[in-house]
Amino acid sequence: MISLGVIRWDIIVDYMPMLLKVGVLTTLKLTVFSVGVGTVLGLFISLLRLSSWKPFSVIGVVYVDFFRGTPLLVQIFMFHFAILPAIIPGAFPSIISGLVALTLNSAAYIAEIFRAGIQSIDRGQMEAARSLGMTYPQAMRYVIIPQAFKRVIPALGNEFIAMLKDSSLVSVISVQELAMTGTLMSNRTYRPFEPWITVAILYLIMTMILSRFVAYLERRFGKGDIRA
Amino acid sequence: MIYVRNLHKHFGKLKVLRGIDCHIKPKEVVVVIGPSGSGKSTFLRCINVLEKPTDGEIIVDGFNMTDPRTNINKVREEVGMVFQHFNLFPHMTALENVALALEKVRKMPVAQAESVASEMLEKVGLKDKASNYPAQLSGGQQQRVAIARALAMRPKVMLFDEPTSALDPEMVGEVLAVMKGLAREGMTMVVVSHEMGFAKEVGDRAIFMDEGIIIEEGKPEDVFGNPQHERTQSFLSKILI
Ligand SMILES: Nc1ncnc2c1ncn2[C@@H]1O[C@H](COP(=O)(O)OP(=O)(O)OP(=O)(O)O)[C@@H](O)[C@H]1O
Ligand SMILES: [Mg+2]
Protein backbone atom coordinates (compact mmCIF):
# COMPACT_ATOMS: atom_id res chain seq x y z
CA MET A 1 0.00 0.00 0.00
CA ILE A 2 1.12 3.45 -0.75
CA SER A 3 -0.38 6.61 0.65
CA LEU A 4 -0.20 10.12 -0.71
CA GLY A 5 2.19 10.96 2.10
CA VAL A 6 4.94 8.82 0.62
CA ILE A 7 4.65 10.11 -2.92
CA ARG A 8 8.04 11.53 -3.87
CA TRP A 9 6.84 14.80 -5.42
CA ASP A 10 10.47 15.85 -5.76
CA ILE A 11 11.08 13.10 -8.32
CA ILE A 12 8.17 14.31 -10.42
CA VAL A 13 9.41 17.89 -10.22
CA ASP A 14 12.98 16.88 -11.06
CA TYR A 15 12.01 14.84 -14.09
CA MET A 16 9.25 17.09 -15.38
CA PRO A 17 11.54 19.07 -17.75
CA MET A 18 12.76 15.83 -19.32
CA LEU A 19 9.24 14.39 -19.52
CA LEU A 20 8.04 17.49 -21.33
CA LYS A 21 11.03 18.53 -23.45
CA VAL A 22 12.05 15.05 -24.49
CA GLY A 23 9.09 12.75 -23.90
CA VAL A 24 6.01 14.81 -24.78
CA LEU A 25 7.81 16.65 -27.56
CA THR A 26 9.05 13.47 -29.23
CA THR A 27 5.63 11.84 -28.92
CA LEU A 28 4.03 14.86 -30.57
CA LYS A 29 6.65 14.93 -33.33
CA LEU A 30 6.18 11.22 -34.04
CA THR A 31 2.42 11.62 -34.17
CA VAL A 32 2.36 14.74 -36.32
CA PHE A 33 4.80 13.24 -38.77
CA SER A 34 3.17 9.83 -39.07
CA VAL A 35 -0.38 11.15 -39.34
CA GLY A 36 0.73 13.98 -41.66
CA VAL A 37 2.65 11.81 -44.10
CA GLY A 38 0.14 9.02 -43.47
CA THR A 39 -2.66 11.29 -44.70
CA VAL A 40 -0.98 11.92 -48.05
CA LEU A 41 -0.05 8.27 -48.40
CA GLY A 42 -3.47 7.11 -47.17
CA LEU A 43 -5.28 9.26 -49.74
CA PHE A 44 -3.12 7.76 -52.45
CA ILE A 45 -3.78 4.20 -51.23
CA SER A 46 -7.52 4.81 -51.00
CA LEU A 47 -7.46 5.95 -54.65
CA LEU A 48 -5.58 2.79 -55.60
CA ARG A 49 -8.14 0.78 -53.71
CA LEU A 50 -11.05 2.47 -55.45
CA SER A 51 -9.46 2.15 -58.87
CA SER A 52 -11.42 0.14 -61.39
CA TRP A 53 -8.14 -1.27 -62.70
CA LYS A 54 -7.73 -4.57 -60.87
CA PRO A 55 -3.94 -4.53 -60.22
CA PHE A 56 -4.24 -1.12 -58.52
CA SER A 57 -7.16 -2.10 -56.35
CA VAL A 58 -5.41 -5.34 -55.35
CA ILE A 59 -2.34 -3.39 -54.22
CA GLY A 60 -4.61 -1.12 -52.19
CA VAL A 61 -6.46 -4.00 -50.57
CA VAL A 62 -3.29 -5.96 -49.75
CA TYR A 63 -1.64 -2.90 -48.22
CA VAL A 64 -4.59 -2.09 -46.00
CA ASP A 65 -5.15 -5.71 -44.99
CA PHE A 66 -1.51 -6.21 -44.07
CA PHE A 67 -1.14 -3.13 -41.88
CA ARG A 68 -4.51 -3.51 -40.21
CA GLY A 69 -4.25 -7.27 -39.86
CA THR A 70 -0.90 -7.45 -38.05
CA PRO A 71 0.01 -5.92 -34.68
CA LEU A 72 1.74 -2.56 -34.78
CA LEU A 73 4.26 -3.94 -32.30
CA VAL A 74 5.22 -6.65 -34.79
CA GLN A 75 5.43 -4.09 -37.60
CA ILE A 76 7.82 -1.99 -35.51
CA PHE A 77 10.10 -4.98 -34.87
CA MET A 78 9.82 -6.03 -38.50
CA PHE A 79 10.94 -2.68 -39.87
CA HIS A 80 13.60 -2.10 -37.24
CA PHE A 81 15.26 -5.51 -37.21
CA ALA A 82 14.38 -7.03 -40.58
CA ILE A 83 13.28 -4.82 -43.44
CA LEU A 84 15.18 -1.56 -43.00
CA PRO A 85 18.54 -3.22 -42.13
CA ALA A 86 18.07 -5.44 -45.19
CA ILE A 87 17.58 -2.42 -47.44
CA ILE A 88 20.29 -0.25 -45.87
CA PRO A 89 22.86 -2.38 -44.05
CA GLY A 90 24.20 -1.33 -40.67
CA ALA A 91 22.68 -0.30 -37.39
CA PHE A 92 19.51 1.59 -37.95
CA PRO A 93 18.54 4.62 -35.86
CA SER A 94 15.45 3.49 -34.00
CA ILE A 95 13.69 6.82 -34.52
CA ILE A 96 13.71 6.23 -38.28
CA SER A 97 12.35 2.68 -37.96
CA GLY A 98 9.74 3.97 -35.56
CA LEU A 99 8.65 6.72 -37.92
CA VAL A 100 8.47 4.35 -40.88
CA ALA A 101 6.36 1.81 -38.99
CA LEU A 102 4.00 4.39 -37.50
CA THR A 103 3.57 6.21 -40.81
CA LEU A 104 2.87 3.13 -42.90
CA ASN A 105 0.50 1.80 -40.26
CA SER A 106 -1.32 5.10 -39.97
CA ALA A 107 -1.61 5.33 -43.77
CA ALA A 108 -3.57 2.06 -43.83
CA TYR A 109 -6.15 3.30 -41.33
CA ILE A 110 -6.36 6.69 -43.04
CA ALA A 111 -6.83 4.99 -46.43
CA GLU A 112 -9.94 3.32 -45.04
CA ILE A 113 -11.17 6.64 -43.68
CA PHE A 114 -10.74 8.25 -47.11
CA ARG A 115 -12.33 5.32 -48.90
CA ALA A 116 -15.45 5.60 -46.75
CA GLY A 117 -15.44 9.38 -47.23
CA ILE A 118 -15.13 9.19 -51.00
CA GLN A 119 -17.82 6.53 -51.23
CA SER A 120 -20.15 8.64 -49.11
CA ILE A 121 -20.21 11.37 -51.75
CA ASP A 122 -23.36 11.23 -53.86
CA ARG A 123 -22.90 9.49 -57.22
CA GLY A 124 -24.46 12.50 -58.92
CA GLN A 125 -21.37 14.59 -58.12
CA MET A 126 -19.11 12.40 -60.22
CA GLU A 127 -21.72 12.27 -62.98
CA ALA A 128 -22.16 16.03 -63.05
CA ALA A 129 -18.39 16.52 -63.22
CA ARG A 130 -17.96 13.92 -65.97
CA SER A 131 -20.89 15.33 -67.94
CA LEU A 132 -18.98 18.63 -68.12
CA GLY A 133 -16.09 16.86 -69.84
CA MET A 134 -13.84 16.45 -66.82
CA THR A 135 -11.65 13.37 -66.74
CA TYR A 136 -11.92 10.95 -63.81
CA PRO A 137 -8.78 12.36 -62.12
CA GLN A 138 -10.04 15.93 -62.56
CA ALA A 139 -13.44 15.04 -61.12
CA MET A 140 -11.74 13.34 -58.17
CA ARG A 141 -9.39 16.20 -57.55
CA TYR A 142 -11.73 19.17 -57.86
CA VAL A 143 -15.12 17.74 -56.95
CA ILE A 144 -15.00 14.50 -54.96
CA ILE A 145 -11.88 14.71 -52.80
CA PRO A 146 -12.49 18.24 -51.46
CA GLN A 147 -15.96 17.18 -50.25
CA ALA A 148 -14.74 13.85 -48.92
CA PHE A 149 -11.85 15.52 -47.12
CA LYS A 150 -14.16 17.89 -45.29
CA ARG A 151 -16.33 14.98 -44.25
CA VAL A 152 -13.44 12.92 -42.83
CA ILE A 153 -11.71 15.68 -40.86
CA PRO A 154 -13.24 14.49 -37.55
CA ALA A 155 -12.23 10.88 -38.30
CA LEU A 156 -8.68 12.06 -39.07
CA GLY A 157 -8.70 13.82 -35.70
CA ASN A 158 -9.61 10.55 -34.01
CA GLU A 159 -6.85 8.78 -35.90
CA PHE A 160 -4.45 11.42 -34.58
CA ILE A 161 -5.53 10.65 -31.00
CA ALA A 162 -5.20 6.90 -31.57
CA MET A 163 -1.73 7.37 -33.05
CA LEU A 164 -0.66 9.60 -30.17
CA LYS A 165 -1.34 6.68 -27.82
CA ASP A 166 -0.05 3.93 -30.11
CA SER A 167 3.21 5.78 -30.73
CA SER A 168 4.16 4.65 -27.19
CA LEU A 169 4.88 1.24 -28.75
CA VAL A 170 8.08 2.50 -30.38
CA SER A 171 9.55 2.61 -26.86
CA VAL A 172 10.23 -1.11 -27.41
CA ILE A 173 13.00 -0.16 -29.83
CA SER A 174 14.16 2.59 -27.43
CA VAL A 175 12.86 5.64 -29.23
CA GLN A 176 12.84 8.19 -26.46
CA GLU A 177 9.27 9.36 -26.54
CA LEU A 178 7.05 9.79 -23.51
CA ALA A 179 6.65 6.13 -22.50
CA MET A 180 10.38 5.50 -22.91
CA THR A 181 11.10 8.53 -20.78
CA GLY A 182 8.88 6.94 -18.12
CA THR A 183 10.95 3.76 -18.31
CA LEU A 184 14.19 5.70 -17.93
CA MET A 185 12.83 7.66 -15.02
CA SER A 186 11.67 4.51 -13.31
CA ASN A 187 15.02 2.74 -13.86
CA ARG A 188 17.00 5.65 -12.49
CA THR A 189 14.89 6.32 -9.42
CA TYR A 190 14.05 2.69 -8.64
CA ARG A 191 10.45 3.80 -8.21
CA PRO A 192 7.64 2.68 -10.49
CA PHE A 193 4.81 4.69 -9.01
CA GLU A 194 5.60 8.33 -9.70
CA PRO A 195 6.94 7.86 -13.26
CA TRP A 196 4.04 5.81 -14.58
CA ILE A 197 1.26 7.84 -12.98
CA THR A 198 2.86 11.01 -14.31
CA VAL A 199 3.28 9.58 -17.80
CA ALA A 200 -0.33 8.40 -17.83
CA ILE A 201 -1.57 11.83 -16.78
CA LEU A 202 0.53 13.55 -19.46
CA TYR A 203 -1.00 11.28 -22.15
CA LEU A 204 -4.44 11.95 -20.71
CA ILE A 205 -3.96 15.72 -20.84
CA MET A 206 -2.91 15.51 -24.49
CA THR A 207 -5.77 13.25 -25.58
CA MET A 208 -8.32 15.30 -23.65
CA ILE A 209 -7.25 18.52 -25.31
CA LEU A 210 -7.29 16.79 -28.70
CA SER A 211 -10.69 15.20 -28.25
CA ARG A 212 -12.17 18.58 -27.36
CA PHE A 213 -10.68 19.84 -30.59
CA VAL A 214 -12.12 16.88 -32.54
CA ALA A 215 -15.55 17.54 -31.03
CA TYR A 216 -15.25 21.11 -32.29
CA LEU A 217 -14.27 19.85 -35.75
CA GLU A 218 -17.28 17.52 -35.72
CA ARG A 219 -19.57 20.46 -35.04
CA ARG A 220 -17.83 22.48 -37.72
CA PHE A 221 -17.52 19.87 -40.50
CA GLY A 222 -19.58 16.87 -39.46
CA LYS A 223 -22.90 18.17 -40.70
CA GLY A 224 -22.44 17.37 -44.37
CA ASP A 225 -22.22 20.04 -46.95
CA ILE A 226 -23.71 23.18 -45.57
CA ARG A 227 -21.09 25.84 -45.58
CA ALA A 228 -23.00 28.95 -44.65
CA MET B 1 -27.01 15.94 -84.44
CA ILE B 2 -27.78 12.74 -82.50
CA TYR B 3 -28.28 9.38 -84.16
CA VAL B 4 -29.29 6.45 -82.00
CA ARG B 5 -29.47 3.05 -83.66
CA ASN B 6 -30.75 -0.11 -82.09
CA LEU B 7 -29.67 0.96 -78.60
CA HIS B 8 -29.76 -1.74 -75.95
CA LYS B 9 -28.82 -1.41 -72.29
CA HIS B 10 -28.92 -4.27 -69.82
CA PHE B 11 -28.19 -4.16 -66.10
CA GLY B 12 -27.39 -7.79 -65.49
CA LYS B 13 -30.55 -9.60 -66.42
CA LEU B 14 -32.67 -6.47 -66.46
CA LYS B 15 -33.17 -5.27 -70.03
CA VAL B 16 -33.78 -1.57 -69.55
CA LEU B 17 -33.44 -0.45 -73.18
CA ARG B 18 -34.48 -2.90 -75.87
CA GLY B 19 -33.75 -1.34 -79.22
CA ILE B 20 -34.15 2.43 -79.40
CA ASP B 21 -33.88 4.13 -82.78
CA CYS B 22 -33.99 7.86 -82.89
CA HIS B 23 -32.60 10.80 -84.84
CA ILE B 24 -32.49 14.23 -83.31
CA LYS B 25 -31.92 17.08 -85.74
CA PRO B 26 -30.05 20.28 -84.96
CA LYS B 27 -32.23 22.85 -83.13
CA GLU B 28 -34.86 20.23 -82.45
CA VAL B 29 -36.53 20.10 -79.02
CA VAL B 30 -37.56 16.54 -78.18
CA VAL B 31 -39.60 15.76 -75.11
CA VAL B 32 -39.42 12.20 -73.74
CA ILE B 33 -42.26 10.89 -71.59
CA GLY B 34 -43.05 7.49 -70.13
CA PRO B 35 -43.79 5.62 -66.91
CA SER B 36 -41.29 5.31 -64.09
CA GLY B 37 -38.73 2.64 -64.87
CA SER B 38 -39.37 2.74 -68.61
CA GLY B 39 -35.73 3.67 -69.27
CA LYS B 40 -35.98 7.41 -69.98
CA SER B 41 -33.04 8.36 -67.76
CA THR B 42 -31.01 5.44 -69.01
CA PHE B 43 -31.64 6.53 -72.60
CA LEU B 44 -30.46 10.06 -71.84
CA ARG B 45 -27.42 8.83 -69.92
CA CYS B 46 -26.43 6.57 -72.79
CA ILE B 47 -26.27 9.57 -75.12
CA ASN B 48 -23.29 11.04 -73.21
CA VAL B 49 -22.14 7.58 -72.13
CA LEU B 50 -22.66 8.05 -68.40
CA GLU B 51 -24.03 4.55 -68.98
CA LYS B 52 -22.16 2.35 -71.40
CA PRO B 53 -24.59 0.93 -73.97
CA THR B 54 -24.77 -2.85 -74.13
CA ASP B 55 -25.38 -2.81 -77.85
CA GLY B 56 -26.17 -0.41 -80.65
CA GLU B 57 -24.71 2.79 -81.96
CA ILE B 58 -24.83 6.38 -80.78
CA ILE B 59 -23.46 9.18 -82.89
CA VAL B 60 -23.29 12.67 -81.43
CA ASP B 61 -22.14 15.54 -83.60
CA GLY B 62 -20.39 13.06 -85.88
CA PHE B 63 -18.59 11.22 -83.08
CA ASN B 64 -19.28 7.56 -82.58
CA MET B 65 -19.79 7.33 -78.82
CA THR B 66 -19.52 3.55 -78.73
CA ASP B 67 -16.16 3.50 -80.50
CA PRO B 68 -13.42 3.07 -77.88
CA ARG B 69 -11.16 5.39 -79.88
CA THR B 70 -13.54 8.34 -79.47
CA ASN B 71 -12.43 10.86 -76.86
CA ILE B 72 -15.63 10.79 -74.82
CA ASN B 73 -14.51 13.67 -72.60
CA LYS B 74 -14.14 15.87 -75.65
CA VAL B 75 -17.64 15.05 -76.88
CA ARG B 76 -19.11 15.57 -73.41
CA GLU B 77 -17.92 19.16 -73.56
CA GLU B 78 -20.44 19.59 -76.37
CA VAL B 79 -23.27 17.85 -74.54
CA GLY B 80 -24.66 19.65 -71.51
CA MET B 81 -26.63 17.69 -68.95
CA VAL B 82 -29.07 18.86 -66.29
CA PHE B 83 -30.10 16.44 -63.55
CA GLN B 84 -33.25 15.96 -61.53
CA HIS B 85 -31.40 16.64 -58.29
CA PHE B 86 -29.26 19.48 -59.70
CA ASN B 87 -25.97 17.92 -58.57
CA LEU B 88 -24.34 21.25 -57.93
CA PHE B 89 -20.94 21.08 -56.24
CA PRO B 90 -21.83 21.98 -52.64
CA HIS B 91 -18.33 23.14 -51.70
CA MET B 92 -18.29 25.84 -54.35
CA THR B 93 -20.21 29.07 -54.84
CA ALA B 94 -22.64 29.41 -57.73
CA LEU B 95 -19.96 31.26 -59.70
CA GLU B 96 -17.30 28.64 -58.96
CA ASN B 97 -19.72 25.88 -59.99
CA VAL B 98 -20.14 27.49 -63.38
CA ALA B 99 -16.49 28.45 -63.80
CA LEU B 100 -14.90 25.14 -62.77
CA ALA B 101 -15.12 23.25 -66.06
CA LEU B 102 -14.20 26.38 -68.02
CA GLU B 103 -10.93 26.52 -66.06
CA LYS B 104 -10.13 22.84 -65.86
CA VAL B 105 -11.57 21.51 -69.10
CA ARG B 106 -11.52 24.51 -71.42
CA LYS B 107 -8.28 25.73 -69.75
CA MET B 108 -9.48 29.32 -69.57
CA PRO B 109 -7.59 31.73 -67.32
CA VAL B 110 -9.47 32.21 -64.02
CA ALA B 111 -10.51 35.79 -64.75
CA GLN B 112 -11.94 34.90 -68.14
CA ALA B 113 -13.71 31.81 -66.77
CA GLU B 114 -15.29 33.90 -64.05
CA SER B 115 -16.44 36.54 -66.46
CA VAL B 116 -18.06 33.92 -68.71
CA ALA B 117 -19.58 32.28 -65.61
CA SER B 118 -21.02 35.54 -64.42
CA GLU B 119 -22.47 36.14 -67.88
CA MET B 120 -24.13 32.71 -67.73
CA LEU B 121 -25.57 33.38 -64.28
CA GLU B 122 -26.99 36.62 -65.62
CA LYS B 123 -28.61 34.69 -68.45
CA VAL B 124 -30.50 32.52 -65.95
CA GLY B 125 -31.32 35.53 -63.80
CA LEU B 126 -28.99 34.80 -60.91
CA LYS B 127 -26.16 37.29 -61.24
CA ASP B 128 -26.80 38.53 -57.70
CA LYS B 129 -26.43 34.99 -56.29
CA ALA B 130 -22.95 34.42 -57.71
CA SER B 131 -21.26 34.21 -54.31
CA ASN B 132 -23.91 32.01 -52.67
CA TYR B 133 -23.29 28.36 -51.93
CA PRO B 134 -25.88 25.86 -53.25
CA ALA B 135 -27.24 25.28 -49.73
CA GLN B 136 -28.13 28.97 -49.62
CA LEU B 137 -30.22 28.79 -52.79
CA SER B 138 -33.77 27.58 -53.37
CA GLY B 139 -34.35 24.48 -55.50
CA GLY B 140 -35.36 26.54 -58.50
CA GLN B 141 -32.29 28.73 -58.16
CA GLN B 142 -30.03 25.70 -57.83
CA GLN B 143 -31.45 24.19 -60.98
CA ARG B 144 -30.90 27.45 -62.85
CA VAL B 145 -27.28 27.50 -61.68
CA ALA B 146 -26.99 23.92 -62.94
CA ILE B 147 -28.32 25.02 -66.33
CA ALA B 148 -25.86 27.92 -66.39
CA ARG B 149 -23.04 25.51 -65.53
CA ALA B 150 -23.90 23.31 -68.50
CA LEU B 151 -24.43 26.27 -70.84
CA ALA B 152 -21.08 27.79 -69.96
CA MET B 153 -19.38 25.07 -71.97
CA ARG B 154 -21.31 26.29 -75.04
CA PRO B 155 -22.76 22.85 -75.73
CA LYS B 156 -24.36 21.93 -79.01
CA VAL B 157 -26.94 19.75 -77.29
CA MET B 158 -28.57 19.95 -73.87
CA LEU B 159 -29.97 16.89 -72.10
CA PHE B 160 -32.48 17.46 -69.29
CA ASP B 161 -33.51 14.61 -66.98
CA GLU B 162 -36.72 15.61 -65.21
CA PRO B 163 -35.33 19.06 -64.42
CA THR B 164 -38.42 20.24 -62.55
CA SER B 165 -39.71 17.13 -60.84
CA ALA B 166 -37.76 17.67 -57.61
CA LEU B 167 -38.98 21.26 -57.33
CA ASP B 168 -41.75 22.80 -55.28
CA PRO B 169 -44.59 23.77 -57.64
CA GLU B 170 -43.98 27.50 -57.28
CA MET B 171 -40.41 27.10 -58.60
CA VAL B 172 -41.19 25.03 -61.68
CA GLY B 173 -42.08 28.09 -63.73
CA GLU B 174 -38.76 29.90 -63.34
CA VAL B 175 -36.82 26.85 -64.55
CA LEU B 176 -39.17 26.18 -67.46
CA ALA B 177 -38.88 29.83 -68.47
CA VAL B 178 -35.11 29.48 -68.78
CA MET B 179 -35.53 26.29 -70.80
CA LYS B 180 -38.09 27.87 -73.11
CA GLY B 181 -35.69 30.75 -73.71
CA LEU B 182 -33.00 28.26 -74.69
CA ALA B 183 -35.35 26.42 -77.02
CA ARG B 184 -36.25 29.68 -78.75
CA GLU B 185 -32.57 30.51 -79.21
CA GLY B 186 -32.29 27.31 -81.21
CA MET B 187 -30.60 24.99 -78.74
CA THR B 188 -30.90 21.30 -79.57
CA MET B 189 -32.60 19.77 -76.53
CA VAL B 190 -33.67 16.35 -75.30
CA VAL B 191 -35.93 16.80 -72.31
CA VAL B 192 -37.31 14.03 -70.12
CA SER B 193 -40.29 15.77 -68.56
CA HIS B 194 -44.00 15.39 -68.09
CA GLU B 195 -44.56 19.16 -68.26
CA MET B 196 -47.14 19.17 -71.01
CA GLY B 197 -47.31 22.94 -71.29
CA PHE B 198 -43.60 23.10 -71.98
CA ALA B 199 -43.82 20.27 -74.52
CA LYS B 200 -46.64 21.90 -76.43
CA GLU B 201 -45.15 25.37 -76.35
CA VAL B 202 -41.58 24.70 -77.50
CA GLY B 203 -41.39 20.98 -78.23
CA ASP B 204 -40.96 19.88 -81.82
CA ARG B 205 -41.55 16.25 -81.05
CA ALA B 206 -42.70 14.09 -78.16
CA ILE B 207 -41.55 10.51 -77.64
CA PHE B 208 -43.45 8.06 -75.47
CA MET B 209 -41.29 5.27 -74.08
CA ASP B 210 -42.37 2.15 -72.25
CA GLU B 211 -40.43 -0.92 -71.20
CA GLY B 212 -37.32 0.18 -73.00
CA ILE B 213 -38.74 0.92 -76.44
CA ILE B 214 -40.29 3.89 -78.19
CA ILE B 215 -44.01 3.18 -78.41
CA GLU B 216 -45.15 6.33 -80.11
CA GLU B 217 -43.79 9.66 -81.30
CA GLY B 218 -45.03 12.73 -83.02
CA LYS B 219 -45.95 16.38 -82.58
CA PRO B 220 -46.42 17.06 -78.86
CA GLU B 221 -50.01 18.22 -79.34
CA ASP B 222 -50.79 14.94 -81.12
CA VAL B 223 -49.03 12.64 -78.66
CA PHE B 224 -50.55 14.40 -75.66
CA GLY B 225 -53.90 15.29 -77.25
CA ASN B 226 -54.65 12.37 -79.50
CA PRO B 227 -52.48 9.40 -78.57
CA GLN B 228 -52.76 6.50 -80.99
CA HIS B 229 -51.37 3.72 -78.90
CA GLU B 230 -53.35 2.18 -76.06
CA ARG B 231 -50.38 2.27 -73.67
CA THR B 232 -49.83 5.96 -74.33
CA GLN B 233 -53.50 6.63 -73.63
CA SER B 234 -53.46 4.76 -70.37
CA PHE B 235 -50.22 6.47 -69.27
CA LEU B 236 -51.53 9.94 -70.11
CA SER B 237 -54.81 9.30 -68.36
CA LYS B 238 -52.81 8.59 -65.21
CA ILE B 239 -50.64 11.70 -65.29
CA LEU B 240 -53.32 14.11 -66.45
CA ILE B 241 -55.72 13.80 -63.58
N1 LIG C 1 -27.10 1.49 -62.47
C1 LIG C 1 -28.17 0.67 -62.50
N2 LIG C 1 -28.06 -0.60 -62.08
C2 LIG C 1 -29.11 -1.44 -62.09
N3 LIG C 1 -30.34 -1.10 -62.50
C3 LIG C 1 -30.54 0.16 -62.92
C4 LIG C 1 -29.47 1.12 -62.93
N4 LIG C 1 -29.95 2.29 -63.39
C5 LIG C 1 -31.25 2.08 -63.67
N5 LIG C 1 -31.61 0.82 -63.38
C6 LIG C 1 -32.94 0.23 -63.56
O1 LIG C 1 -33.33 0.45 -64.90
C7 LIG C 1 -34.73 0.71 -64.98
C8 LIG C 1 -34.96 1.97 -65.77
O2 LIG C 1 -34.42 3.04 -65.06
P1 LIG C 1 -34.50 4.54 -65.56
O3 LIG C 1 -33.93 5.37 -64.47
O4 LIG C 1 -33.90 4.66 -66.90
O5 LIG C 1 -36.07 4.77 -65.65
P2 LIG C 1 -36.84 6.13 -65.85
O6 LIG C 1 -37.73 5.93 -67.01
O7 LIG C 1 -35.93 7.26 -65.89
O8 LIG C 1 -37.72 6.18 -64.55
P3 LIG C 1 -38.11 7.41 -63.61
O9 LIG C 1 -39.29 8.07 -64.23
O10 LIG C 1 -38.46 6.76 -62.31
O11 LIG C 1 -36.91 8.29 -63.51
C9 LIG C 1 -35.24 0.76 -63.56
O12 LIG C 1 -35.87 -0.48 -63.28
C10 LIG C 1 -34.00 0.91 -62.73
O13 LIG C 1 -34.15 0.29 -61.49
MG1 LIG D 1 -35.46 8.86 -64.60
Side-chain angles (χ1 to χ4, degrees):
Chain A
M1 274 302 282
I2 196 155
S3 71
L4 275 178
V6 298
I7 288 184
R8 293 269 311 273
W9 294 99
D10 57 311
I11 294 183
I12 299 177
V13 172
D14 281 352
Y15 278 87
M16 192 49 82
M18 181 161 90
L19 285 166
L20 293 177
K21 283 193 215 146
V22 181
V24 168
L25 193 65
T26 307
T27 287
L28 285 174
K29 280 181 182 167
L30 284 169
T31 310
V32 168
F33 183 92
S34 56
V35 175
V37 178
T39 298
V40 178
L41 200 59
L43 176 60
F44 179 72
I45 292 159
S46 73
L47 292 175
L48 283 182
R49 215 192 144 156
L50 290 168
S51 165
S52 56
W53 197 52
K54 198 82 186 172
F56 278 175
S57 66
V58 167
I59 294 173
V61 169
V62 168
Y63 183 95
V64 169
D65 282 355
F66 177 79
F67 282 97
R68 300 204 323 164
T70 55
L72 176 55
L73 184 63
V74 172
Q75 293 163 19
I76 291 166
F77 284 140
M78 187 185 77
F79 281 106
H80 187 58
F81 295 117
I83 296 187
L84 291 178
I87 299 172
I88 306 158
F92 224 84
S94 55
I95 181 90
I96 303 287
S97 320
L99 277 172
V100 168
L102 293 181
T103 302
L104 296 183
N105 178 275
S106 176
Y109 285 90
I110 292 173
E112 282 301 277
I113 291 173
F114 273 121
R115 182 176 67 93
I118 288 170
Q119 286 178 330
S120 78
I121 302 299
D122 181 62
R123 217 160 72 92
Q125 293 289 309
M126 175 59 84
E127 292 180 350
R130 297 305 302 273
S131 78
L132 290 163
M134 281 187 230
T135 62
Y136 176 85
Q138 285 178 324
M140 272 292 176
R141 173 159 172 210
Y142 300 113
V143 176
I144 308 296
I145 292 173
Q147 294 181 58
F149 195 82
K150 222 162 75 184
R151 248 179 232 193
V152 303
I153 285 174
L156 289 176
N158 285 323
E159 170 61 20
F160 192 91
I161 294 174
M163 194 37 75
L164 185 98
K165 293 183 286 177
D166 288 351
S167 68
S168 61
L169 284 169
V170 298
S171 61
V172 296
I173 54 170
S174 305
V175 177
Q176 208 188 347
E177 40 64 75
L178 184 52
M180 188 65 205
T181 309
T183 306
L184 284 178
M185 188 176 157
S186 168
N187 291 346
R188 286 183 195 166
T189 58
Y190 301 105
R191 289 182 66 91
F193 189 80
E194 290 82 359
W196 291 115
I197 296 291
T198 311
V199 164
I201 289 171
L202 286 173
Y203 273 113
L204 185 63
I205 291 170
M206 286 193 279
T207 55
M208 275 176 55
I209 293 172
L210 283 166
S211 53
R212 288 286 150 79
F213 184 59
V214 170
Y216 162 78
L217 291 176
E218 260 160 8
R219 280 197 305 279
R220 176 85 172 69
F221 294 108
K223 292 236 170 62
D225 301 316
I226 293 139
R227 181 168 138 183
Chain B
M1 182 97 268
I2 303 175
Y3 293 90
V4 177
R5 279 190 211 108
N6 193 32
L7 172 64
H8 287 258
K9 175 67 191 177
H10 303 169
F11 290 109
K13 276 191 180 159
L14 185 67
K15 296 181 176 172
V16 177
L17 298 180
R18 302 182 298 135
I20 303 268
D21 288 280
C22 174
H23 171 207
I24 291 154
K25 294 187 279 291
K27 303 198 173 198
E28 200 179 9
V29 176
V30 175
V31 177
V32 181
I33 60 172
S36 180
S38 57
K40 307 177 299 290
S41 299
T42 307
F43 170 52
L44 219 55
R45 295 154 55 81
C46 279
I47 294 177
N48 64 355
V49 207
L50 283 180
E51 299 290 358
K52 206 173 174 325
T54 310
D55 194 15
E57 199 175 39
I58 297 169
I59 292 169
V60 178
D61 194 28
F63 294 95
N64 186 342
M65 303 298 275
T66 46
D67 183 340
R69 285 166 303 183
T70 304
N71 183 348
I72 299 290
N73 294 323
K74 209 74 209 152
V75 187
R76 282 187 183 140
E77 294 177 31
E78 315 287 324
V79 183
M81 188 162 204
V82 174
F83 302 85
Q84 182 174 3
H85 296 289
F86 332 133
N87 298 352
L88 289 182
F89 308 135
H91 59 304
M92 296 180 183
T93 63
L95 189 77
E96 289 164 348
N97 263 276
V98 181
L100 180 68
L102 295 173
E103 285 169 37
K104 307 304 176 192
V105 178
R106 290 265 195 256
K107 311 285 182 205
M108 273 186 198
V110 177
Q112 192 192 349
E114 289 188 347
S115 103
V116 173
S118 135
E119 205 180 297
M120 289 299 144
L121 285 176
E122 185 161 23
K123 194 179 163 91
V124 299
L126 288 173
K127 200 175 160 82
D128 55 327
K129 301 287 182 193
S131 56
N132 286 42
Y133 286 91
Q136 302 165 319
L137 298 172
S138 73
Q141 291 169 335
Q142 289 188 53
Q143 193 60 300
R144 285 188 281 152
V145 173
I147 295 173
R149 176 174 71 178
L151 286 179
M153 299 298 283
R154 306 235 177 257
K156 294 183 177 156
V157 187
M158 286 281 284
L159 310 174
F160 294 83
D161 192 358
E162 306 206 35
T164 59
S165 61
L167 296 178
D168 291 337
E170 71 269 23
M171 293 170 188
V172 170
E174 62 192 64
V175 172
L176 289 181
V178 170
M179 292 169 60
K180 286 175 193 170
L182 269 184
R184 294 204 180 92
E185 284 171 21
M187 176 64 79
T188 310
M189 294 163 68
V190 185
V191 185
V192 174
S193 170
H194 296 150
E195 293 291 338
M196 196 175 25
F198 172 83
K200 285 185 177 166
E201 199 177 323
V202 296
D204 297 303
R205 182 157 44 123
I207 292 179
F208 174 70
M209 271 181 74
D210 196 12
E211 294 179 3
I213 49 173
I214 293 177
I215 304 279
E216 177 167 355
E217 60 182 306
K219 289 218 149 305
E221 46 275 30
D222 295 337
V223 173
F224 281 97
N226 183 21
Q228 298 302 303
H229 202 284
E230 180 265 323
R231 276 202 271 179
T232 321
Q233 290 162 4
S234 102
F235 170 72
L236 287 172
S237 70
K238 277 180 215 139
I239 65 160
L240 300 179
I241 349 166

